[in-house]
Coordinates of all heavy atoms in Angstrom, one line a residue:
F1 N 0.9 -1.2 0.0 CA 0.0 0.0 0.0 C 0.9 1.2 0.0 O 2.1 1.2 0.4 CB -0.9 0.0 1.2 CG -1.9 -1.2 1.3 CD1 -2.1 -1.8 2.5 CD2 -2.5 -1.6 0.2 CE1 -3.0 -2.8 2.6 CE2 -3.4 -2.7 0.3 CZ -3.6 -3.3 1.5
P2 N 0.4 2.4 -0.5 CA 1.2 3.6 -0.5 C 1.7 3.9 0.9 O 1.0 3.8 1.9 CB 0.3 4.7 -0.9 CG -0.8 4.0 -1.7 CD -1.0 2.6 -1.0
G3 N 3.0 4.2 1.1 CA 3.6 4.6 2.4 C 4.3 3.4 3.0 O 4.9 3.6 4.1
F4 N 4.3 2.2 2.4 CA 5.0 1.1 3.0 C 5.9 0.4 1.9 O 5.7 0.6 0.7 CB 3.9 0.1 3.5 CG 3.1 0.6 4.6 CD1 1.9 1.2 4.4 CD2 3.7 0.6 5.9 CE1 1.2 1.7 5.5 CE2 2.9 1.1 7.0 CZ 1.7 1.7 6.8
T5 N 6.9 -0.3 2.5 CA 7.9 -0.9 1.6 C 8.4 -2.2 2.3 O 8.0 -2.6 3.4 CB 9.1 0.1 1.3 OG1 9.9 -0.5 0.3 CG2 9.9 0.4 2.5
G6 N 9.3 -2.9 1.6 CA 9.8 -4.2 2.1 C 9.2 -5.4 1.4 O 8.2 -5.3 0.8
K7 N 9.9 -6.5 1.6 CA 9.5 -7.7 0.9 C 8.1 -8.1 1.4 O 7.3 -8.6 0.6 CB 10.5 -8.8 1.2 CG 10.7 -9.8 0.1 CD 11.9 -10.7 0.4 CE 12.0 -11.9 -0.5 NZ 12.5 -11.6 -1.8
T8 N 7.8 -7.9 2.7 CA 6.4 -8.3 3.2 C 5.6 -7.0 3.5 O 4.6 -7.1 4.3 CB 6.6 -9.2 4.4 OG1 7.3 -8.4 5.4 CG2 7.3 -10.5 4.1
C9 N 6.0 -5.9 3.0 CA 5.3 -4.6 3.2 C 5.1 -4.3 4.7 O 4.1 -3.7 5.1 CB 3.9 -4.6 2.5 SG 4.0 -4.8 0.8
N10 N 6.2 -4.6 5.5 CA 6.1 -4.3 6.9 C 6.9 -3.1 7.4 O 6.9 -2.8 8.5 CB 6.5 -5.6 7.7 CG 8.0 -5.9 7.5 OD1 8.6 -5.4 6.5 ND2 8.6 -6.7 8.4
Q11 N 7.5 -2.5 6.4 CA 8.3 -1.3 6.8 C 7.7 0.0 6.3 O 7.1 0.0 5.2 CB 9.7 -1.4 6.1 CG 10.6 -2.5 6.6 CD 11.8 -2.7 5.8 OE1 11.9 -2.2 4.6 NE2 12.7 -3.5 6.3
D12 N 7.8 1.0 7.1 CA 7.2 2.3 6.8 C 8.2 3.0 5.8 O 9.4 2.9 5.9 CB 7.2 3.2 8.1 CG 6.8 4.6 7.7 OD1 5.7 4.8 7.1 OD2 7.5 5.5 8.1
L13 N 7.6 3.5 4.7 CA 8.4 4.2 3.7 C 8.6 5.7 4.2 O 7.7 6.4 4.5 CB 7.7 4.2 2.4 CG 8.3 5.1 1.2 CD1 9.6 4.4 0.8 CD2 7.3 5.2 0.1
N14 N 9.9 6.1 4.3 CA 10.2 7.5 4.7 C 10.1 8.4 3.4 O 11.0 8.6 2.7 CB 11.6 7.6 5.3 CG 11.9 9.0 5.8 OD1 11.0 9.9 5.7 ND2 13.1 9.2 6.3
E15 N 8.8 8.9 3.3 CA 8.6 9.8 2.1 C 9.4 11.1 2.1 O 9.7 11.6 1.1 CB 7.1 10.2 2.0 CG 6.1 9.1 1.8 CD 5.7 8.4 3.0 OE1 6.2 8.6 4.1 OE2 4.7 7.6 2.9
C16 N 9.8 11.5 3.3 CA 10.6 12.7 3.4 C 12.0 12.6 2.8 O 12.7 13.6 2.4 CB 10.8 13.1 4.9 SG 9.2 13.5 5.6
G17 N 12.5 11.3 2.6 CA 13.8 11.1 2.1 C 13.7 10.9 0.5 O 14.8 10.7 -0.1
L18 N 12.6 10.9 0.0 CA 12.4 10.7 -1.5 C 12.9 11.9 -2.3 O 12.9 13.0 -1.8 CB 11.0 10.4 -1.9 CG 10.4 9.1 -1.3 CD1 8.9 9.0 -1.6 CD2 11.1 7.9 -1.8
K19 N 13.3 11.7 -3.5 CA 13.6 12.8 -4.4 C 12.6 12.7 -5.6 O 12.4 11.6 -6.1 CB 15.0 12.6 -5.0 CG 16.1 12.7 -4.0 CD 16.5 14.1 -3.6 CE 17.7 14.1 -2.7 NZ 17.6 14.9 -1.5
P20 N 11.9 13.8 -6.0 CA 11.9 15.1 -5.4 C 11.2 15.0 -4.0 O 10.3 14.2 -3.8 CB 11.2 16.0 -6.4 CG 10.3 15.0 -7.1 CD 11.0 13.7 -7.1
R21 N 11.6 15.9 -3.1 CA 11.0 16.0 -1.8 C 9.5 16.3 -1.9 O 9.1 17.1 -2.7 CB 11.7 17.0 -0.9 CG 13.1 16.6 -0.6 CD 13.7 17.6 0.4 NE 13.1 17.6 1.7 CZ 12.8 18.7 2.4 NH1 13.1 19.9 1.9 NH2 12.2 18.6 3.5
P22 N 8.6 15.6 -1.1 CA 7.2 15.9 -1.3 C 6.7 17.2 -0.6 O 5.7 17.7 -0.9 CB 6.6 14.7 -0.5 CG 7.6 14.3 0.5 CD 8.9 14.6 -0.1
C23 N 7.6 17.8 0.2 CA 7.2 19.1 0.9 C 8.2 20.2 0.5 O 9.3 19.9 0.3 CB 7.2 18.9 2.4 SG 6.1 17.6 3.0
E24 N 7.6 21.4 0.4 CA 8.5 22.5 0.0 C 9.4 23.0 1.1 O 10.6 23.2 0.8 CB 7.6 23.7 -0.4 CG 8.3 24.8 -1.1 CD 7.4 26.0 -1.6 OE1 6.2 25.9 -1.5 OE2 8.0 27.0 -1.9
H25 N 8.9 23.0 2.4 CA 9.7 23.5 3.5 C 10.1 22.4 4.4 O 11.3 21.9 4.4 CB 9.0 24.6 4.3 CG 8.9 25.9 3.6 ND1 8.4 27.1 4.1 CD2 9.4 26.3 2.3 CE1 8.5 28.1 3.3 NE2 9.1 27.6 2.2
R26 N 9.2 21.9 5.2 CA 9.6 20.9 6.2 C 8.7 19.7 6.0 O 7.5 19.8 5.8 CB 9.4 21.5 7.6 CG 10.4 22.5 8.0 CD 10.3 22.8 9.5 NE 11.3 23.8 9.9 CZ 11.1 24.9 10.6 NH1 9.9 25.1 11.0 NH2 12.1 25.7 10.9
C27 N 9.3 18.5 6.3 CA 8.6 17.3 6.1 C 8.7 16.4 7.4 O 9.8 16.4 8.0 CB 9.2 16.5 4.9 SG 8.4 14.9 4.6
M28 N 7.6 15.8 7.8 CA 7.7 14.9 9.0 C 7.1 13.5 8.6 O 5.9 13.5 8.1 CB 6.9 15.5 10.1 CG 7.0 14.6 11.4 SD 6.2 15.4 12.8 CE 4.6 14.6 12.7
N29 N 7.9 12.5 8.7 CA 7.4 11.2 8.4 C 6.4 10.7 9.4 O 6.6 10.9 10.6 CB 8.6 10.2 8.2 CG 8.2 8.9 7.7 OD1 7.5 8.8 6.7 ND2 8.6 7.8 8.4
T30 N 5.4 10.0 9.0 CA 4.4 9.4 9.9 C 4.2 8.0 9.5 O 4.7 7.6 8.4 CB 3.0 10.2 9.9 OG1 2.5 10.1 8.6 CG2 3.2 11.6 10.3
H31 N 3.5 7.2 10.3 CA 3.3 5.8 9.9 C 2.4 5.7 8.7 O 1.3 6.0 8.7 CB 2.6 5.0 11.1 CG 2.5 3.6 10.9 ND1 3.5 2.7 10.8 CD2 1.4 2.8 10.7 CE1 3.1 1.5 10.6 NE2 1.8 1.5 10.5
G32 N 3.1 5.2 7.6 CA 2.3 5.0 6.3 C 2.1 6.3 5.5 O 1.5 6.3 4.5
S33 N 2.6 7.4 6.0 CA 2.3 8.7 5.3 C 3.4 9.7 5.7 O 4.5 9.4 6.2 CB 0.9 9.2 5.7 OG 0.6 10.3 4.8
Y34 N 3.1 11.0 5.6 CA 3.9 12.1 6.0 C 3.1 13.4 6.1 O 2.0 13.4 5.7 CB 5.0 12.3 4.9 CG 4.5 12.8 3.6 CD1 4.5 14.1 3.2 CD2 4.0 11.8 2.6 CE1 3.9 14.5 2.0 CE2 3.5 12.2 1.4 CZ 3.5 13.6 1.1 OH 3.0 14.0 -0.1
K35 N 3.7 14.4 6.8 CA 3.0 15.7 6.9 C 4.0 16.8 6.5 O 5.2 16.7 6.8 CB 2.7 15.9 8.4 CG 1.3 15.3 8.8 CD 0.9 15.7 10.2 CE -0.5 15.2 10.5 NZ -0.9 15.5 11.9
C36 N 3.4 17.8 5.8 CA 4.2 19.0 5.4 C 4.0 20.1 6.4 O 2.9 20.3 6.9 CB 3.8 19.4 4.0 SG 4.3 18.2 2.7
Y37 N 5.0 20.9 6.6 CA 4.9 22.1 7.5 C 5.6 23.2 6.8 O 6.6 23.0 6.0 CB 5.6 21.8 8.8 CG 4.9 20.8 9.7 CD1 5.3 19.5 9.7 CD2 3.9 21.2 10.5 CE1 4.7 18.5 10.4 CE2 3.2 20.2 11.3 CZ 3.6 18.9 11.2 OH 3.0 17.9 12.0
C38 N 5.2 24.4 7.1 CA 5.9 25.6 6.5 C 6.6 26.4 7.5 O 6.3 26.3 8.7 CB 4.8 26.5 5.8 SG 4.0 25.6 4.4
L39 N 7.6 27.2 7.1 CA 8.3 28.0 8.0 C 7.4 29.2 8.5 O 6.4 29.4 7.9 CB 9.5 28.6 7.2 CG 10.6 27.6 6.7 CD1 11.5 28.2 5.8 CD2 11.3 27.0 7.9
N40 N 7.9 29.9 9.5 CA 7.1 31.0 10.1 C 6.8 32.0 9.0 O 7.7 32.3 8.2 CB 7.8 31.6 11.2 CG 7.5 31.0 12.5 OD1 6.6 30.1 12.6 ND2 8.3 31.3 13.6
G41 N 5.6 32.6 9.0 CA 5.3 33.6 8.0 C 4.7 33.0 6.7 O 4.4 33.7 5.8
Y42 N 4.7 31.6 6.6 CA 4.1 31.0 5.5 C 3.0 30.1 5.9 O 2.9 29.6 7.0 CB 5.2 30.1 4.8 CG 6.2 31.0 4.1 CD1 7.3 31.5 4.8 CD2 6.2 31.3 2.8 CE1 8.3 32.3 4.2 CE2 7.1 32.1 2.1 CZ 8.2 32.6 2.9 OH 9.1 33.4 2.3
M43 N 2.1 29.8 5.0 CA 1.0 28.8 5.3 C 0.9 27.7 4.2 O 1.3 28.0 3.1 CB -0.3 29.6 5.4 CG -0.8 30.3 4.2 SD -2.2 31.3 4.5 CE -3.4 30.0 4.8
L44 N 0.5 26.6 4.7 CA 0.4 25.4 3.8 C -0.8 25.5 2.9 O -1.9 25.7 3.3 CB 0.4 24.1 4.6 CG 0.5 22.8 3.9 CD1 1.9 22.6 3.3 CD2 0.2 21.6 4.8
M45 N -0.5 25.4 1.6 CA -1.6 25.4 0.6 C -2.1 24.0 0.3 O -1.4 23.0 0.6 CB -1.1 26.1 -0.7 CG -0.5 27.5 -0.5 SD -1.6 28.6 0.4 CE -2.8 29.0 -0.9
P46 N -3.3 23.9 -0.3 CA -3.8 22.5 -0.5 C -2.9 21.6 -1.4 O -2.9 20.4 -1.2 CB -5.2 22.8 -1.3 CG -5.5 24.2 -0.9 CD -4.2 24.9 -0.7
D47 N -2.1 22.2 -2.3 CA -1.2 21.4 -3.1 C 0.1 21.1 -2.5 O 1.0 20.5 -3.1 CB -1.0 22.1 -4.5 CG -0.2 23.4 -4.3 OD1 0.0 23.8 -3.2 OD2 0.1 24.0 -5.4
G48 N 0.3 21.4 -1.2 CA 1.5 21.1 -0.4 C 2.6 22.1 -0.5 O 3.6 22.0 0.1

């Protein structure tokens, strides 16, 4: 499923380490997914 890897799909995929990076400013890996954050003075838009 998206966000997982390994021979038996038991490992979380660290999307923050992928190229190109999925987030413009800051990325936080979560179980099976990730979250984007913006620096101070910026706000996250729907497209990331």
Side-chain angles (χ1 to χ4, degrees):
F1 298 140
F4 294 96
T5 187
K7 216 170 167 80
T8 60
C9 301
N10 64 342
Q11 294 169 344
D12 174 56
L13 174 69
N14 181 4
E15 293 88 350
C16 297
L18 297 174
K19 297 278 189 232
R21 291 185 66 223
C23 301
E24 190 179 351
H25 286 183
R26 289 190 179 133
C27 181
M28 184 176 91
N29 188 49
T30 61
H31 184 69
S33 189
Y34 64 96
K35 274 187 175 176
C36 293
Y37 295 94
C38 295
L39 298 167
N40 272 351
Y42 290 85
M43 60 186 292
L44 189 65
M45 302 310 279
D47 64 355

